[in-house]
Amino acid sequence: INVDLPEWLKDAIINSAYTLSSSTILDEKGRFGIFEAPEVCPCVGTIAGLCYEGNLPIILFFPSLDRKFLEILASKIRDDGYVPHDLGLYSLDLPIDGTTAPPKWKDLNPTFILLVYRYYIRTKDLEFLREMYPKLLSVFDWELKQDKDGDGVPELEGSADTAFDVTPMKGISSYLTSLYIASILAMREISSILGDEENEERMNKLFEKARTVFSSLFNGKYFIAWKTEKETADFLLTAQIFGEWWAEILGLEETIDEDKISSALDYLLKVNGNVSQYCTPNMVKENGEIVNLSPQSYSSWPRIVFAIGWLGYKRNRKWIEVIKKEWDTIVKNGIVWNQPSRINSKDGKPEPERYLDHYVGNAAIWSFVHMQPSNGR
């Protein structure tokens, strides 16, 4: 851990590895997974919304276990190329399409691609990458088919088809678009590594097309949450540049121009980061009004705050105050070793009363432990 980090942050990083003891499963066949929330939502290997992918200690310290998990998940990919939400409830053999599916979730396939590439850059396991490549192509093509209007990015159906499930996100979403672009960048690198020049060029073209759409969501200050032909959700979603977290963790090209990234982070710091004394809620209007579409909108997700906070901290040290506020609230609730999925921005309590326990993704604060990929920045 960087010795220059404040002591409380070092403490937060170390203690946020609690899921290694509370939530992991390794069966007699050598198969590995992590419970999303072992008591309340015991899905094994949930990959949406910074769940498994937020548990950075696994890839940092136990890459062989990461490979085992990815191999199992790859074996459960549906015939049409759809990556399931998890491996099953209390199971490594009964995957589901999503806790609110149907419709199928649109943020799972990009996440799987990024997880495979993350494992590769950490291990340089070329054999594994070659084995996964046919599946990755199928997985990517499923996602591409979710672009129903041909504009260059997949659309949301508005019926709980992302990790934000009960929040009715519809149309073009900054969260999904950003994540999708990161997966294109990963696929481009994988194609280059494996010598597939045709697919590498295809990814270049898709990248430029998707960036154009992503730019259209930028209102001069931040990326709006989502829009359709009939309505625009013009407020600040904390995860609006989530794909950039992936890009910078993996040493990929920027998902969008740096001036737009920095501006979005500045407004997230100014608005979302200051609207609650307890945490940083997911959705806030520019005037400081917290959006009340669902519990997920008016609450914070610590894992997202830690990930986006790391992005912000690299550019503006004031983000450390936002991260500390989130951590202090966790400490005050006495749940350092049993962190929640979300915190209510109104009272600072875990949301709901029986919150999703021992939440898997909150180790995203390990973003501060730099992975330093060989092709990194």
Side-chain angles (χ1 to χ4, degrees), residues 22-23 35-42 90 338 354-358:
S22 68
S23 307
F35 288 105
E36 179 177 350
E39 296 175 15
V40 179
C41 184
Y90 291 117
N338 183 2
R354 284 201 76 224
Y355 59 89
L356 298 190
D357 62 293
H358 299 87

Side-chain angles (χ1 to χ4, degrees), residues 67 116-117 119-120 125-134 136 189-191 193-194:
R67 174 172 175 158
V116 170
Y117 184 62
Y119 170 79
Y120 170 75
D125 188 342
L126 190 59
E127 177 188 3
F128 176 78
L129 197 64
R130 286 199 181 103
E131 289 174 1
M132 287 291 119
Y133 193 52
L136 292 175
E189 293 301 316
I190 292 168
S191 298
I193 292 164
L194 297 180

Side-chain angles (χ1 to χ4, degrees), residues 329-377:
T329 296
I330 289 171
V331 171
K332 288 175 183 177
N333 277 289
I335 49 176
V336 168
W337 295 334
N338 183 2
Q339 296 176 31
S341 167
R342 62 180 190 251
I343 298 171
N344 191 321
S345 63
K346 301 170 186 176
D347 59 15
K349 300 298 181 182
E351 170 72 29
E353 185 176 349
R354 284 201 76 224
Y355 59 89
L356 298 190
D357 62 293
H358 299 87
Y359 208 71
V360 59
N362 291 352
I365 202 165
W366 279 73
S367 300
F368 283 89
V369 180
H370 298 295
M371 295 182 67
Q372 296 177 333
S374 60
N375 62 336
R377 302 173 182 184

Side-chain angles (χ1 to χ4, degrees), residues 81-373:
Y82 179 70
V83 179
H85 169 271
D86 56 58
L87 299 176
L89 288 170
Y90 291 117
S91 174
L92 294 163
D93 295 302
L94 297 171
I96 62 174
D97 286 343
T99 53
T100 53
K104 292 179 177 178
W105 290 19
K106 310 304 186 294
D107 51 350
L108 301 171
N109 283 42
T111 298
F112 178 77
I113 292 167
L114 291 159
L115 284 170
V116 170
Y117 184 62
R118 184 175 74 178
Y119 170 79
Y120 170 75
I121 66 164
R122 189 66 184 173
T123 65
K124 294 298 182 288
D125 188 342
L126 190 59
E127 177 188 3
F128 176 78
L129 197 64
R130 286 199 181 103
E131 289 174 1
M132 287 291 119
Y133 193 52
K135 289 184 178 293
L136 292 175
L137 292 172
S138 175
V139 165
F140 184 86
D141 286 345
W142 183 92
E143 190 71 20
L144 188 59
K145 290 175 183 176
Q146 309 317 304
D147 174 14
K148 304 300 183 182
D149 59 8
D151 65 349
V153 301
E155 292 85 40
L156 296 175
E157 299 176 45
S159 303
D161 51 342
T162 72
F164 286 91
D165 49 55
V166 297
T167 303
M169 302 167 68
K170 189 173 184 178
I172 303 170
S173 153
S174 55
Y175 159 67
L176 180 61
T177 300
S178 176
L179 180 64
Y180 172 64
I181 290 174
S183 74
I184 292 174
L185 292 171
M187 281 297 293
R188 186 178 70 180
E189 293 301 316
I190 292 168
S191 298
S192 176
I193 292 164
L194 297 180
D196 187 347
E197 295 180 2
E198 182 178 347
N199 198 61
E200 182 182 359
E201 181 57 29
R202 181 172 74 122
M203 291 302 129
N204 274 325
K205 293 177 180 177
L206 290 171
F207 175 46
E208 292 305 320
K209 195 173 182 180
R211 274 172 59 108
T212 298
V213 177
F214 195 26
S215 290
S216 75
L217 297 177
F218 188 72
N219 65 5
K221 294 173 281 190
Y222 54 87
F223 295 91
I224 64 173
W226 61 84
K227 71 175 181 179
T228 66
E229 291 183 357
K230 297 181 179 179
E231 62 178 341
T232 299
D234 188 2
F235 51 76
L236 291 104
L237 174 67
T238 308
Q240 63 185 265
I241 55 170
F242 177 54
E244 186 61 24
W245 177 80
W246 272 110
E248 296 192 21
I249 283 285
L250 301 181
L252 295 167
E253 182 178 341
E254 290 175 333
T255 53
I256 199 70
D257 306 315
E258 174 59 35
D259 61 335
K260 293 182 175 67
I261 295 169
S262 294
S263 181
L265 287 166
D266 285 345
Y267 274 87
L268 283 170
L269 176 64
K270 176 183 176 182
V271 180
N272 299 50
N274 284 289
V275 76
S276 167
Q277 63 179 304
Y278 306 107
C279 59
T280 299
N282 276 324
M283 304 177 196
V284 185
K285 295 180 180 179
E286 191 178 347
N287 64 5
E289 178 186 346
I290 298 174
V291 176
N292 194 17
L293 283 175
S294 71
Q296 293 173 343
S297 67
Y298 64 72
S299 297
S300 78
W301 284 1
R303 59 197 186 278
I304 292 290
V305 175
F306 295 151
I308 299 301
W310 173 72
L311 278 180
Y313 179 78
K314 292 175 68 179
R315 295 160 171 84
N316 184 343
R317 291 297 190 260
K318 289 184 180 180
W319 270 95
I320 201 71
E321 300 168 11
V322 171
I323 298 166
K324 188 175 189 300
K325 177 169 61 176
E326 200 85 11
W327 179 249
D328 285 347
T329 296
I330 289 171
V331 171
K332 288 175 183 177
N333 277 289
I335 49 176
V336 168
W337 295 334
N338 183 2
Q339 296 176 31
S341 167
R342 62 180 190 251
I343 298 171
N344 191 321
S345 63
K346 301 170 186 176
D347 59 15
K349 300 298 181 182
E351 170 72 29
E353 185 176 349
R354 284 201 76 224
Y355 59 89
L356 298 190
D357 62 293
H358 299 87
Y359 208 71
V360 59
N362 291 352
I365 202 165
W366 279 73
S367 300
F368 283 89
V369 180
H370 298 295
M371 295 182 67
Q372 296 177 333

